Structures are given as structure tokens and as C-alpha cells.
Amino acid sequence: MKIIVDADACPVVGIVEKTAEKENIPVILVCDTAHIFQTSYSQVVTVEKGADSADFKIVTLSEKGDIVVTQDYGVASMCLGKGVFPIHQSGKWYTLENIDQMMFERHIAKEVRRKSKKNHLKGPRKRMKEDDEHFEESLIRLIGKVQNIQKTDRKRV
């Protein structure tokens, strides 16, 4: 298992690294050339700046049993198809049971923005300490879930 982070504008990189280091899990930070990361723990993979270049690299690097941290529903959907466990920076897990609804809601919101004369909606609220705590707890639970699945799979072989 490894953790791959869609690192462009990701507010939880430090939490991911700290948690992964405790569990001795490798981390790959994927970013485009507009971002620079200095890290003593993670591998940094830099891709050319361009539409979806980081997204495709994340999907390419991911393998069954990995965890991907992303806020991109499309990336999450592609990862689910590979047996990867995607998690949003809010701590919400993307699953086969919820991804269709999330993609549909995103589509509807985009249509509403497109049809309204007011194309700019307020951005996300300011990130709070509680948001980081919730993400960390959720990531720890997800790591435990993946480790249990992997142990069960090894016993079957």
C-alpha cells in the first residue's frame, strides 16, 4: 500500500505525511510545475502544467489497495475502478455506493452556475482545526480498513 496525494492546493499534505510515516507507508505527492514541495518523507512527482495532467498521473501511479487523497470526483471515480481507496480532504471516503450521486450533484451544481447570471459562487469556507482532526481520524480508519482487507486477501492465497 502507498498513499498518493493530489497535492496541488491540498491542505492536508502534512497530515498525510505524518500519519503515513507513523505507519511506515510510502507517500507520493503529485503536483504540476506551478507548485513546489519540499519534503523529507514523500516522493514528489512533478508533471507538466496542463488540464488533467496531474489527474492522469495519479491514476497511472495508483494500484489496487492504494489510498488516493483527492478532491477531484473524476479522479476518485477512476481510482475506484482500479480497486483504489480514494478519500477527500474533508475525510469523506469515495465509494462505489456514493460516487454516482456525488458526480450527479456536481453536474447539477455546474448546470445551475452556468444558467445563472451570477457565475461566481462563494468558495469553500475557511478550513478549521476540527476539519484537519476529522481528516486525520478518517485517514487512520481508512488505513486500518485497507490493512485488514490486505491481511484477509493474503490469508486466502
Side-chain angles (χ1 to χ4, degrees):
M1 170 197 335
K2 63 186 171 292
I3 300 175
I4 303 168
V5 181
D6 188 350
D8 293 342
C10 181
V12 295
V13 170
I15 296 168
V16 171
E17 287 184 317
K18 179 183 80 166
T19 304
E21 191 169 9
K22 284 180 189 173
E23 296 289 331
N24 199 30
I25 300 169
V27 174
I28 301 173
L29 305 177
V30 179
C31 61
D32 66 29
T33 55
H35 299 84
I36 298 172
F37 281 94
Q38 297 290 329
T39 176
S40 61
Y41 185 75
S42 300
Q43 174 188 351
V44 178
V45 174
T46 306
V47 297
E48 288 299 317
K49 191 174 176 185
D52 303 323
S53 58
D55 298 347
F56 291 127
K57 188 64 169 182
I58 290 164
V59 174
T60 301
L61 290 171
S62 66
E63 300 173 310
K64 182 178 181 180
D66 287 343
I67 294 173
V68 168
V69 180
T70 183
Q71 63 181 347
D72 187 306
Y73 294 3
V75 171
S77 181
M78 289 186 284
C79 288
L80 284 168
K82 292 181 75 172
V84 173
F85 297 87
I87 181 174
H88 189 275
Q89 63 195 27
S90 69
K92 183 175 180 94
W93 297 357
Y94 300 95
T95 66
L96 293 172
E97 290 76 27
N98 70 12
I99 193 67
D100 287 340
Q101 179 71 27
M102 293 170 77
M103 298 278 282
F104 180 71
E105 289 171 359
R106 180 182 73 168
H107 170 73
I108 296 298
K110 184 178 179 181
E111 287 296 309
V112 168
R113 285 192 307 274
R114 190 178 60 80
K115 288 180 181 176
S116 78
K117 296 180 192 274
K118 193 175 176 185
N119 284 329
H120 180 63
L121 301 176
K122 284 186 178 180
R125 66 175 174 74
K126 185 175 192 257
R127 191 160 182 94
M128 308 293 281
K129 180 180 177 190
E130 293 80 17
D131 297 321
D132 290 343
E133 291 168 354
H134 176 72
F135 173 80
E136 184 174 10
E137 291 166 6
S138 184
L139 178 61
I140 290 167
R141 283 194 326 273
L142 184 57
I143 290 168
K145 175 184 176 176
V146 174
Q147 288 171 334
N148 286 335
I149 289 170
Q150 290 174 341
K151 284 178 191 174
T152 303
D153 288 348
R154 280 193 294 267
K155 287 179 185 176
R156 287 186 192 153
V157 174

